[in-house]
Amino acid sequence: MPGSFHGIDLASRALRSFQRAIDVSGQNVANVNTRGYSRQAVDFAATDPVSFFSTNRQFLGTGVGITSVNRIRDMLLQGRQHQVTASLHQFLTSSGSLREVESVYNEPGPEGISNALDQFFNSWSGLASAPTDPAARMQVRTKAQTLIDRMKTAYRSLQDLKTQSQTEVQSTIGRINELATQVGELNSAIRAAKVQGASPNDLMDRRDAAISELSSLIQVNTAENSDGTMSVFASQFTLVDSFGAKSYPTSVNPATMEATDGTNTFSIRGGKLAGLLTGIVQSDQSMAQLDDMANQIRAQVNSLHRTGTNTPGTPPVAANLNFFAQNDPPALPMTGVMTLNLSNEVLSSPANIMTSVTGLAGDGGLALSISGLKNATMMGGKTLSNYHKENMAALGQQITYHQGARDTQTAIATQIENQQQAISGVSLDDEMANMLRFQRSYQAAARMLSIFDQVTEDLIGMVR
Amino acid sequence: MRISTSYQFDSVSKRIQEAQQRYLDAQQRVMTGKRVVTVSDDPFGSSVILNARRMQSQVEQFGTNLRSAKDYLGTSEQAFEQINTLTQRAYELTVSAANSTTSPDARANMAREISSIQERLIQLGNSQGIAQQYVFAGQSSTTPPFTLSGTTLNFQGDANDVRVEVGPSELMKVNSTVGSMITTLYQRLQETKVRMESGDLSSLSNISLQDLKNSQDALRLERGQTGIQLQRIQALEAHHARQKEDLTKRISDVEDVDMGEAIMQLKLNETVYQAALQVGAMNDRLSLLDYIRG
């Protein structure tokens, strides 16, 4: 049975509700620039009616109440967003790293290894044509030194890139663990709030932001648990569950794209971490290719150069001089770019550069053979310069692919972000309209209250 | 679609940024004039550039090699020309010496001139090119090939070919093997001189004249060879110049920007950038806030 002050109660409930609604709009306006903030909306519901008896049983409304303050967010879209963020950042990082690897080579400019290689072999042709000319001899030594320098510079830069990427892998894993811990802590706070029946919207936003950053580092899947906590998985590794966070293993194998904690291995998919690993693998591969080239150049040039002689005689006696420094068998042969140097003999005097098969000063036959190495298929059926060129082309294609993927993922990410923004983003126009509406509603409720007040006053005045 | 305020501003600033980026890219292309700076700018094109550059540096090397070939052949040619003149002079001297009206004094003078011709012949036989190489020494080109012992001229060089790479696996022989020719000529001059001194007129006219004529013929043959080689070098040089030009153009076609197009692009991007800025500025002016009485 509604009492005499039913109307006043009803009006005051309405005032309170509209007041809260204006507050929520205010909160939305205040956070218009906050990243990851989801706009909040008030759910109004008519409060439970009271019954009274007229000719039969009737119900009378008691006004309005707020059932919940919701955050407006599309969770399905959000899951999709995490996947796309992971791919986007993977390709952002990988295309960046690959471009850095590429820049090491200076190709296809005249400052590249390719040009140095051509000029080195060409200088031998020059020496073959003028074997008695000391300038031609110096030219061979200079061009050889240039080739060595360019290969070593490239190799060193690749090593630096690799080290840098490795450091970054570790700091990325560090950040992943920090974020996982954050998610774990937010999980506890959210669970505690949920137990009290509240909806901790802002905490959930912060958790979403943390997971969003997490997915830019490594691809994660999430699952919401019944107690409001969120479990986070990076492939098979459980990063966060309802009990808390676990540290991601720091031992990473770039070639297999796997992390291992000693007993189990977990494949790394997506995110900056995967992108960094692509860069490391490419650096390794490029260094191995340079090593192969250096080894072949050293072995092939030396094996011809050693047969050369500068003392005429029948039969001519080979001088057994190396052009590039090389340990004589049976000691271990030198390998790799970093040990590619001119031999001490050639360094001490250009006269020790052999040009001759017969030993006669005007014979350039040997130099011509060495120059001919440019057309020799020594790199698995390819000439040196073709091998290098194909490696460059392959690298270029890979970069094009990664950049293409990056651009595609950027477009998708933007689209999803726009969709999410369309749902969750705060629109000032919207909020202003809402505020006007709630203000007007508040005014109406206030007017209602004064009418009920008058009615009540009339009632009291009646019996005077 | 519902438009959130941050989307409104974000998308404007993103569009402005994109337009600016495109504008800067276009600017850079115009300023550097290069379309391909790294391999990934155009992997296929880079491959073409690398190939062309490789051929270019090879052609340049062949050009340098041709210079040393020209050095060899030019020096030889000059020596042959002078030897020819000397032989011609010796022939003329012999003709007058064989004349019975010539006095013995005059013959003695002629014999002395033959001596100086012999000295000159040795000098010419030991001709050196720019790189200080003895051009008639075969491959033993660091030691003078002709040395005199007594009245005999000895050839100490060898008969090996000196070859220069003038094209892809194309070798050109640049030296002339004239050791025996020159020593024979010297020998014949020596005999002629002795006959002049002894006044052996019949041998002078019967043997010496024919001998010198034979030497001249042999010389002409070598000189002809050298001339042919020099002509071939000229043709090759022209070919290399054409090839180099062609390769430069081929590299430029792939590597360089088409200026007209690049400038058009720059203008277009500039307009887009300006438009984006203008739209962005307009965007600011629209808000419900302006229409609500305060």
Side-chain angles (χ1 to χ4, degrees), chain B residues 222-237:
Chain B
E222 286 297 335
R223 212 179 151 192
Q225 283 295 337
T226 312
I228 290 170
Q229 297 290 63
L230 278 168
Q231 264 173 10
R232 203 174 138 213
I233 287 178
Q234 254 172 14
L236 277 169
E237 271 178 337

Side-chain angles (χ1 to χ4, degrees), chain A residues 379-450:
Chain A
M379 307 301 296
K382 292 171 203 150
T383 64
L384 271 168
S385 55
N386 274 348
Y387 176 75
H388 181 61
K389 195 184 72 190
E390 280 172 26
N391 291 340
M392 287 296 100
L395 177 58
Q397 298 285 10
Q398 218 192 340
I399 292 174
T400 314
Y401 164 71
H402 279 259
Q403 280 180 341
R406 177 197 64 190
D407 294 344
T408 311
Q409 295 299 330
T410 308
I412 296 174
T414 310
Q415 205 190 345
I416 291 180
E417 169 69 19
N418 289 348
Q419 281 177 30
Q420 188 67 275
Q421 273 286 314
I423 295 163
S424 308
V426 176
S427 159
L428 283 180
D429 289 352
D430 254 19
E431 298 305 329
M432 289 323 292
N434 276 340
M435 280 179 106
L436 278 183
R437 184 164 59 162
F438 296 135
Q439 192 184 6
R440 291 292 181 213
S441 308
Y442 188 87
Q443 283 168 353
R447 180 60 57 86
M448 214 158 73
L449 185 64
S450 73

Side-chain angles (χ1 to χ4, degrees), chain B residues 2 53 112 116 118 176 220 271:
Chain B
R2 196 177 158 274
R53 215 170 241 135
R112 271 197 290 282
S116 74
Q118 281 179 308
S176 310
R220 207 167 291 133
T271 315

Side-chain angles (χ1 to χ4, degrees), chain A residues 32 35 39 99 102 107-110 114 118 122-123 125-126 128-129 132-133 358 360-363 368 371 374-375 385 389 392-393 396-397 399-400 414 418 421-423 425-430 432-433 436, chain B residues 1-7 10 14 36-41 43-44 46-47 49-51 53-54 57-58 61-62 65 68 131 133 138-142 158 160 162-165 171 255 287-289 292-293:
Chain A
V32 65
R35 280 273 157 228
R39 80 189 158 99
R99 282 210 73 124
E102 181 191 31
E107 302 287 13
S114 198
D118 295 341
N122 286 338
S123 72
S125 162
S129 304
T132 53
D133 187 356
T358 58
L360 296 170
D363 177 23
L368 199 63
S371 171
K374 65 180 166 227
N375 297 320
S385 55
K389 195 184 72 190
M392 287 296 100
Q397 298 285 10
I399 292 174
T400 314
T414 310
N418 289 348
Q421 273 286 314
I423 295 163
V426 176
S427 159
L428 283 180
D429 289 352
D430 254 19
M432 289 323 292
L436 278 183
Chain B
M1 196 171 93
R2 196 177 158 274
I3 306 295
S4 74
T5 304
S6 65
Y7 170 69
D10 282 356
K14 200 181 259 169
V36 182
V37 180
T38 59
V39 179
S40 59
D41 291 340
F44 176 72
S46 297
S47 183
I49 294 173
L50 283 177
N51 266 342
R53 215 170 241 135
R54 174 158 186 248
S57 85
Q58 220 170 39
Q61 185 60 54
F62 293 144
N65 293 357
S68 59
Q133 81 281 27
Q139 290 185 347
S140 315
S141 54
T142 44
D158 55 63
N160 293 326
V162 172
R163 280 176 301 193
V164 165
E165 197 179 18
L171 295 174
E255 190 179 46
S287 168
L288 183 60
L289 285 167
I292 301 172
R293 279 172 295 117

Side-chain angles (χ1 to χ4, degrees), chain A residues 276-342:
Chain A
L276 285 171
L277 296 185
T278 308
I280 292 177
V281 169
Q282 182 61 52
S283 301
D284 275 339
Q285 196 185 336
S286 292
M287 282 193 279
Q289 288 164 349
L290 285 177
D291 277 341
D292 280 353
M293 284 171 69
N295 290 341
Q296 283 298 325
I297 292 172
R298 173 171 33 222
Q300 303 283 349
V301 171
N302 275 353
S303 80
L304 279 175
H305 196 262
R306 291 172 67 83
T307 64
T309 174
N310 50 11
T311 40
T314 30
V317 179
N320 274 324
L321 283 180
N322 287 320
F323 184 78
F324 293 109
Q326 185 177 19
N327 291 336
D328 279 324
L332 278 174
M334 290 185 179
T335 56
V337 175
M338 294 320 279
T339 56
L340 187 67
N341 290 308
L342 291 174

Side-chain angles (χ1 to χ4, degrees), chain A residues 71-133:
Chain A
R71 122 189 134 108
I72 313 294
R73 192 158 193 93
D74 187 330
M75 294 316 282
L76 198 69
L77 211 53
Q78 186 173 327
R80 178 100 183 86
Q81 199 170 13
H82 289 157
Q83 306 305 312
V84 172
T85 308
S87 300
L88 171 62
H89 283 266
Q90 175 184 0
F91 288 115
L92 267 178
T93 314
S94 64
S95 60
S97 305
L98 291 175
R99 282 210 73 124
E100 282 186 65
V101 169
E102 181 191 31
S103 70
V104 158
Y105 287 100
N106 279 328
E107 302 287 13
E111 307 300 316
I113 290 173
S114 198
N115 203 23
L117 201 60
D118 295 341
Q119 293 200 351
F120 170 64
F121 286 116
N122 286 338
S123 72
W124 281 102
S125 162
L127 182 55
S129 304
T132 53
D133 187 356

